[in-house]
Amino acid sequence: MNDMTPINASQNSDGQAGLLNLSRRRFLGVSAGALVLGVALPSGAGRALAQAAAPAVVAGTRVNAYIEIRPDSTVLFRSAFIEGGQGIFTAMAQIVGEELDVDPARFVVEAAPPGPDYLLIGGFRFTGGSMSVRMSYEKMRKLGASARLMVMQAAAARMNVPVPELTTEPGRVLHAASGRALSYGELAQDAAALAVPADAPLRAKSDFRWIGKPLARLDVRDKSTGKAKYAIDLRVDGMLYAAVQHARHLGAEPQTITNEAQVLAMPGVHSVHRLPGAVGVVADSWWRARRAAESLQVTWAAAPQGTRGAMPEDYSTERHREGLKAMTGDGLEAEASGDTTKALASAKTIIEATYDAPHLAHAQLEPPSALARWNDDGTLELWAPNQAPEMFQGAAAKVAGIDPSRVIIHSPLLGGFFGRHFLYASANPFPQAILLSKAVGRPVKLVWSREEEFLRDALRPMAVARFRAGLDEKGMPVALSAIAVGEGATGRWFGRQPDKVDSSAVEGIAGKLYAIPNHRVGHIHVDDPAVIGFWRSVGHSMNDFFYETFFDEMADAGKQDPYDLRHRLLAESPRQRKLLEAVADLSGGWKRGPYQAEDGTRRARGVAMASPFGSEVATIAEVSLRGEEAVVHQVWVAVDPGSIVNPAIVEAQINSAVAIGLSIALMEEVVYEEGVPRARNYDGYPILPPDRMPKVHVRIVESGAPMGGIGEPGVPGVPPAVVNALAVLTGRRVRSLPLSRASLAGSI
C-alpha cells in the first residue's frame, strides 16, 4: 500500500504566468525542417535571464508566439483558446487567415502552451463564457495583418523593391510590375528576423473573403475518420493505466482495505494506492484497473465535523430545495429602478409565483481522464482536458510540489465543453494521475469510470426565484420584484464578497430590457452543499426560464398576448424588438394557439427572449402533448451576436444549444439522497434522445453591435418557450423543472 498524503490543489490562478518547460519539445522555432516565422526561446537559466531582461509581454501582440509558416506555405497557428466542439480553431483560422492572406484551409491549429502571450481575457486565459472570438477578434486580426506585412517587407528586401509596389494573394507575395512572385514559405525565415510592425493596415469589411463565410470546419475530417485525439486516446512509452474508487461522501478518507492482497493478485494489477478521498489501482490495462478498483473493500473515515467542502451524509436535494423556497426577505439589491414597493402597493392586480430549477450534471460523453509523466530532468508533463492551461499548470505544480515553470501542460481536444473542464477542487482527475505517476515511477493514464464521474461532477447550482408583479387597470405591468435564492458558480470559484451580489446568480433576471417602470432584483445567498460549477450558459440556463415564464403569467393575468406585450415593452429597445419580429417572421407569423396542425395534433407556441453573453436571442417553440409527454416539434431561433465570423458554426451552435436546452427542460435532474447522487450513469440520468429532437430553424441578424458570444446564448430561451407553450395547452403553469416531474395530463 502506498500512502499519498493529501495535497491541496489550490483553485487560484497564482501559477498562471508560469512558463512552459522546453526540455522535451521546443515551443517555438524550427520544426521538422520548416523555415518558420517563429523564434526559439532559451531554456533553463538562460531563459530566466532573458525573462529578467525582456520587457513585459503584451498578450496577443507577438506574431512569433502564434504563427509558424512552413516551407509549403501552410500555417501552424497556436490558439490561445481550446477546441471543444464549438469551432474555435476554425474561427481563429478564418480571422487570422483573412488578414494574413492565407486560405483557412491551409491552417493547422493547435492549443498553445501556457505563457503570457495567451492571457487575452483581462490578463487571464480561459476558454468559456462564449468569450473566445469576441474578446480576441481585433487582436487576432492585427496579428494576422502584422504577419502579412512582415512577409511583404521580407519580399521587398529580397526583390529590392518598395513595399507599396507589392500585393499578396493567398500564400504568395506578388510584384506586378516585374511579374515576380515569392511564396510565404520562401520568405518566412527572413520575415522572422523583422520587428513586428505596430501599424499594419486591416482589410475593409467589404473586402473580406473568409470572415463571415460558412467555411467548412478544419476538424471535421479527423473527427469523422477517428484521427482526432482526445485525452482518453493518448499513449506514451512505458505507460500504465489507473482507475479509482471515490469515497461515497466527499470529504471522507480511506482508512482500511480488507482485501488488498487479493486485489494485488488480480491479473495485470501493478499496485494499490491511497489517494485524497479515494483509492486507486494501477494496472497494465484500464479495464483491469477498473475491475480491481471496484473490487476494493474500503472502510472510509468520515470527514471531521466542520470540514470545508465535505458533503453532509444526510444531504437531500429535496430538503435543500424546500430550504431555498422557505427563505424570506428581499436580499441584496442587484438592480433597481423606480419605487417598486410603492408601485406594488398601488397596483390594481398582484401576481406572485415561485420557480425552481434543479442541480444538473455536465454528463458529457467524454469521460474525465489525465495522463501524467515525470521526466528525468524533474519536470512534470501533463496531458489534461482543460479550459485554462495556466490555471491548471499552477494547480498541478502545487500537487507536485514543484515550480509552475517545471510543469509542461498539453491541452488536447475536448469532447464537449459545457463548463466541465474548469479547475474544480474535486472534479478533476489530474491530481490523482500526478500522485500515481510519482508513486510508480512511470507514466500513468487515469480514466474515471462513468460512475465515478457522476459521483464527483461539479453541478449546476440549484436555484429558486420568487416573483411579485403589479398590473394597472389596463393589465400592463407597472412593477416587478424578483428575488433569486441560491449560490452562484462565479462566487464559489473566484471569491464571494458578502456585500455584493454574484452576477452569475442573477444573470437572466437582472439586465432585462422590458420597459417596466418600477422593478427590483435581489439575491439571497445560500451555500449549496454540493460542489457546484459552471454549466452551459451559467445562470442564464435557469434564470431566463424563471423570468420569461413568469412574464407570460403577467401577460395572462393582464389579458395580454405574451408576444404583443413583449413587443410593446421593447419599444425603446429597437435591437431586441427587431429580433422578436425576426423570430416571428421565421416561424411564419406569431400564433399562440391552440391550433390543429396538418398531422391532426393539437399544438401551441411559446416565446421567450434572452440577452446572454453580449448576444440577443429570441426563441419560439411549437409543442403538443402525447399523453403526459411534451412533444416539441419545431424551434425557431433568431440570434443577434452583433457580427459573426462563420454562419455555419453559428447555426451548428444554436442547434446544439437547443438540444441541451430541451434536454434540461424535459428530463435532466441530479437528485441527492443521503449525500449521494441517485444516478451514477445514463440509465439514471437520461439526456435528450435523438427521436425527441425537434426541427430547428435559425436566423442570424447582424445588427453591428459589439460582437457577442455564440456557444451558450441559444440555451436559455428554450425551456421557457416550451413551458409557455405547454401552459396554453394545459391551462396550468409549470414552475419547476424538469417537466418529467410535472403532471401534464389533460388540456383546455
Side-chain angles (χ1 to χ4, degrees), residues 643-692:
S643 60
I644 62 171
V645 172
N646 188 321
I649 290 177
V650 173
E651 185 166 349
Q653 285 297 293
I654 295 297
N655 271 268
S656 74
V658 168
I660 202 167
L662 187 55
S663 188
I664 65 174
L666 297 180
M667 57 190 62
E668 289 192 41
E669 175 185 26
V670 172
V671 177
Y672 267 78
E673 297 168 335
E674 298 181 348
V676 179
R678 180 191 296 167
R680 297 286 296 275
N681 210 319
Y682 291 108
D683 57 343
Y685 189 88
I687 59 176
L688 187 75
D691 63 356
R692 297 191 71 178

Side-chain angles (χ1 to χ4, degrees), residues 315-322 359 462 670-673:
Y315 174 65
S316 157
T317 46
E318 184 60 35
R319 281 199 302 274
H320 184 53
R321 181 184 295 109
E322 294 308 312
H359 286 303
M462 181 184 288
V670 172
V671 177
Y672 267 78
E673 297 168 335

Side-chain angles (χ1 to χ4, degrees), residues 203-223:
R203 287 188 185 277
K205 187 175 181 179
S206 58
D207 294 331
F208 283 175
R209 285 176 290 182
W210 296 302
I211 292 178
K213 304 301 189 296
L215 271 62
R217 285 181 49 158
L218 302 182
D219 54 358
V220 166
R221 179 174 294 276
D222 282 354
K223 288 180 176 179

Side-chain angles (χ1 to χ4, degrees), residues 459-533:
L459 310 175
R460 187 190 75 172
M462 181 184 288
V464 163
R466 291 190 277 110
F467 291 90
R468 192 165 187 255
L471 309 180
D472 64 16
E473 63 280 355
K474 296 180 180 179
M476 295 295 292
V478 294
L480 173 66
S481 170
I483 312 297
V485 186
E487 183 180 4
T490 299
R492 172 71 67 99
W493 295 108
F494 290 98
R496 183 177 72 88
Q497 296 176 282
D499 60 339
K500 292 186 179 180
V501 174
D502 180 348
S503 62
S504 67
V506 296
E507 59 186 7
I509 298 177
K512 288 292 187 179
L513 295 175
Y514 301 121
I516 300 174
N518 305 282
H519 71 271
R520 180 186 185 275
V521 177
H523 176 234
I524 299 174
H525 175 89
V526 179
D527 286 337
D528 198 315
V531 176
I532 61 171

Side-chain angles (χ1 to χ4, degrees), residues 139-151:
K139 283 194 173 183
M140 292 300 101
R141 286 186 66 195
K142 291 176 181 177
L143 194 78
S146 295
R148 174 176 176 267
L149 184 53
M150 292 166 73
V151 172

